[in-house]
């Protein structure tokens, strides 16, 4: 297939491009900088230069492909409205370009906010609707295109897609620990995060492209829940820092924007995804990655 990948130069995207190329697909990656374009070309991918805000370019990229994998995100965590508006506009543009084609449209999402007191499953629909909701309600917006002849598939990544070189949430939490001289965890540290290794996540995306039916919600989740206390302990071991509880009222002050996420219970299962795709995660666990220096 000719696959148009946005976010192709990113943490998950660059591993996904490798998987897609290895599976024999032709990949065109969206790149907004010379460095991203060069990295993609070096892998053997084609390049479409452009920004997420260049909706004509996104439309042309989607219309000229057999499938779209949308992983780009502005990630303005201090001002999520900016990221969410761009996400929604991009998703609508890609969906419109694919109407009536039955072509795959895979888009990134997450597992936050799906359930309150139990792990989220693939059957749990997102309650995020509309531009003011988390991620701009992009998952539900994309799924609306199923009835219009688009093979939409949601890629719900665990809150940590971990590994060497990660610059996401765990790297941010580790940076806070180093800056403050203590490795903190929210409250009693019993809230949990699901987790997946980056290469397992990328393999799931490639399998999802080939096998997932329209409307599928896939969970890139290898570990259902790792307690935040365990994460803080491992960061403490990594940087030889004391480990301490952070009062829930002080989590925002201590951790900054990432505190709101670190204080959430973000557990999820992936039984349905494993069964559907024949996907078995094989990478190291989050704690193994921390203990072997992936974040040092
Ligand atoms: N990593 C995780 O743990 C995790 C967990 C849950 C969900 N997700 C979601 O999965 C997706 C991929 O995440 P990631 O960790 O791979 O993100 P990432 O490493 O931050 O990569 C983001 C990608 O988006 C591109 N991008 C950012 N702003 C852009 C713009 N204005 N125009 C065009 N491209 C732009 C970046 O391009 P440049 O290379 O030019 O910067 C990069 O390729 C995102 O939607 C993310 O929210 C990730």
């Amino acid at each position: 297939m000719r696959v148009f990948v946005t976010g192709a130069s990113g943490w998950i995207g660059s591993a996904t491009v490798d998987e897609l190329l290895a599976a024999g697909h032709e990949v065109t990656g969206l790149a907004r900088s010379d460095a991203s374009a060069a990295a993609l070309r070096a892998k053997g991918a084609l390049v479409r230069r452009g920004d997420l805000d260049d909706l004509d370019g996104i439309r042309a990229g989607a219309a000229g492909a057999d499938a779209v994998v949308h992983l780009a995100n502005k990630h303005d965590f201090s001002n999520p409205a900016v990221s969410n508006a761009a996400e929604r506009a991009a998703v609508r543009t890609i969906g419109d370009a694919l109407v009536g084609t039955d072509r795959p449209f895979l888009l990134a999402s997450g597992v936050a906010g799906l359930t309150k007191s139990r792990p989220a499953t693939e059957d749990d629909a997102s309650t995020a609707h509309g531009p003011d909701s988390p991620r701009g309600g992009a998952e539900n917006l994309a799924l609306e295109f199923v009835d219009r002849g688009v093979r939409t598939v949601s890629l719900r990544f665990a809150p940590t897609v971990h590994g060497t070189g990660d610059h996401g949430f765990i790297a941010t939490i580790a940076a806070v620990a180093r800056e403050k001289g203590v490795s903190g965890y929210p409250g009693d540290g019993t809230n949990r995060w699901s987790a997946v290794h980056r290469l397992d996540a990328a393999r799931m995306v490639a399998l999802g492209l080939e096998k997932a039916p329209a409307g599928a919600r896939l969970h890139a989740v290898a570990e259902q829940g790792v307690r935040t206390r365990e994460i803080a302990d491992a960061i403490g071991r990594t940087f030889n820092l004391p480990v301490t509880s952070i009062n829930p009222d002080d989590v925002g002050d201590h951790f900054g924007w990432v505190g709101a996420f670190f204080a959430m219970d973000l557990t999820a299962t992936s039984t349905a995804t494993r069964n559907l795709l024949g996907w078995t995660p094989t990478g190291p666990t989050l704690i193994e990655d921390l203990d072997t220096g992936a974040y040092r």
Side-chain angles (χ1 to χ4, degrees):
M1 275 189 259
R2 293 167 304 146
V3 189
F4 178 48
V5 182
T6 74
S9 53
W11 173 240
I12 300 172
S14 52
T16 298
V17 169
D18 292 341
E19 283 288 335
L20 296 175
L21 291 170
H25 299 294
E26 178 188 294
V27 175
T28 299
L30 182 71
R32 59 177 173 158
S33 70
D34 291 344
S36 295
L40 283 166
R41 286 196 187 98
K43 287 171 184 277
L46 303 172
V47 171
R48 168 173 281 279
R49 291 300 298 258
D51 188 274
L52 262 185
D53 293 329
D54 167 20
L55 295 178
D56 288 339
I58 302 270
R59 186 178 299 110
D66 301 316
V68 179
V69 179
H70 171 53
L71 299 170
N73 195 291
K74 290 189 175 182
H75 283 159
D76 188 345
F77 290 110
S78 305
N79 189 4
V82 170
S83 309
N84 294 346
E87 175 68 354
R88 208 174 158 81
V91 163
R92 190 184 296 287
T93 300
I94 295 166
D96 281 339
L98 299 182
V99 163
T101 64
D102 287 328
R103 290 182 187 156
F105 171 21
L106 283 66
L107 80 155
S109 191
V111 302
L114 296 171
T115 54
K116 281 211 165 61
S117 51
R118 61 170 174 79
T121 75
E122 293 85 344
D123 286 338
D124 291 309
S126 166
T127 56
H129 290 273
D132 298 329
S133 61
R135 296 188 72 90
E139 179 184 278
N140 282 320
L141 176 62
L143 289 170
E144 285 174 20
F145 283 93
V146 169
D147 290 341
R148 300 172 65 198
V150 179
R151 204 181 106 199
T152 302
V153 174
S154 177
L155 308 166
R156 290 177 170 172
F157 297 108
T160 172
V161 179
H162 54 86
T164 303
D166 177 17
H167 57 99
F169 289 166
I170 293 294
T172 305
I173 291 163
V176 170
R178 296 178 81 179
E179 182 199 322
K180 305 262 167 158
V182 306
S183 177
Y185 55 87
D188 64 5
T190 57
N191 68 304
R192 292 165 301 165
W193 271 21
S194 47
V196 66
H197 189 271
R198 174 185 180 235
L199 298 183
D200 285 323
R203 206 155 39 79
M204 190 209 74
V205 177
L207 286 170
L209 176 67
E210 282 167 22
K211 296 187 179 179
R217 295 180 287 245
L218 303 179
H219 281 196
V221 169
E223 296 181 86
Q224 180 172 317
V226 186
R227 291 195 191 284
T228 50
R229 170 71 203 246
E230 284 179 69
I231 297 172
D233 281 344
I235 291 173
R237 285 194 294 278
T238 300
F239 299 108
N240 202 17
L241 295 170
V243 179
T244 186
S245 165
I246 305 298
N247 187 308
D249 293 336
D250 300 332
V251 159
D253 279 347
H254 182 86
F255 291 103
W257 62 263
V258 81
F261 293 98
F262 205 32
M264 285 183 200
D265 203 47
L266 296 174
T267 57
T269 66
S270 56
T271 311
T273 301
R274 291 172 195 236
N275 291 341
L276 178 71
L277 304 181
W279 174 67
T280 306
T282 57
T285 66
L286 172 61
I287 301 302
E288 284 169 354
D289 257 351
L290 280 161
D291 281 346
T292 54
Y295 289 83
R296 204 165 284 144

